[in-house]
């Protein structure tokens, strides 16, 4: 199930329109299984999540000029700009959703780790 969710996110991010061709979405990290992982595995997972978040932030920064350009074109009455703007918003929002999903799943794995390793 986790693989399917991350594949869907990767596909959504990879489907970036031509306006953001120079921007490359980061791959979602492989997360440890909290129920069966060691502390070292969990710490490695945490580092992978942090690296993903940093790369995703850079990706979103890369998308921002194209998003602003598309928005300005809509305001200027450029024909067809609305579709480009909507596509730009969807791509940016997919990046935000990917980060939220990865963070949420890692938090779930942390709770599973704590449940499997009570002090």
């Amino acid at each position: 199930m986790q693989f399917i969710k991350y594949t869907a996110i990767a596909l959504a991010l990879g489907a970036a329109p031509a306006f953001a061709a120079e921007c490359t979405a980061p791959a979602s990290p492989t997360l440890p299984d909290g129920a069966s992982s060691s502390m070292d595995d969990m710490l490695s997972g945490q580092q992978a999540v942090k690296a993903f978040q940093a790369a995703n932030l850079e990706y979103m920064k890369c998308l921002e000029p194209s998003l602003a350009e598309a928005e300005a074109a809509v305001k200027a009455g450029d024909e067809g700009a609305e579709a480009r703007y909507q596509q730009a918003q969807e791509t940016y929002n997919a990046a935000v959703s990917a980060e939220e999903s990865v963070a949420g799943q890692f938090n779930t794995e942390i709770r599973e780790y704590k449940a499997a390793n009570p002090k």
Side-chain angles (χ1 to χ4, degrees):
M1 179 72 169
Q2 184 175 347
F3 175 75
I4 293 170
K5 180 172 36 173
Y6 292 134
T7 300
I9 291 168
L11 289 174
L13 290 174
F19 76 86
E22 69 280 358
C23 303
T24 303
S28 294
T30 301
L31 300 177
D33 177 2
S36 62
S37 292
S38 68
M39 176 59 89
D40 287 341
D41 293 336
M42 295 303 293
L43 291 173
S44 292
Q46 180 184 39
Q47 292 304 313
V49 169
K50 286 181 179 183
F52 170 76
Q53 289 173 322
N56 199 49
L57 181 61
E58 289 301 312
Y59 172 63
M60 291 187 302
K61 285 180 184 177
C62 181
L63 294 174
E64 287 172 359
S66 296
L67 182 61
E69 183 180 307
E71 182 179 24
V74 168
K75 289 179 181 178
D78 182 1
E79 193 171 311
E82 184 65 39
R84 290 192 312 271
Y85 180 60
Q86 183 175 355
Q87 193 173 31
Q89 282 184 315
E90 289 172 3
T91 300
Y92 189 89
N93 290 343
V96 172
S97 294
E99 187 167 339
E100 290 171 350
S101 178
V102 167
Q105 183 60 40
F106 187 65
N107 286 335
T108 297
E109 299 305 332
I110 290 172
R111 285 190 296 276
E112 289 181 9
Y113 174 82
K114 287 180 177 181
N117 299 283
K119 289 189 174 186

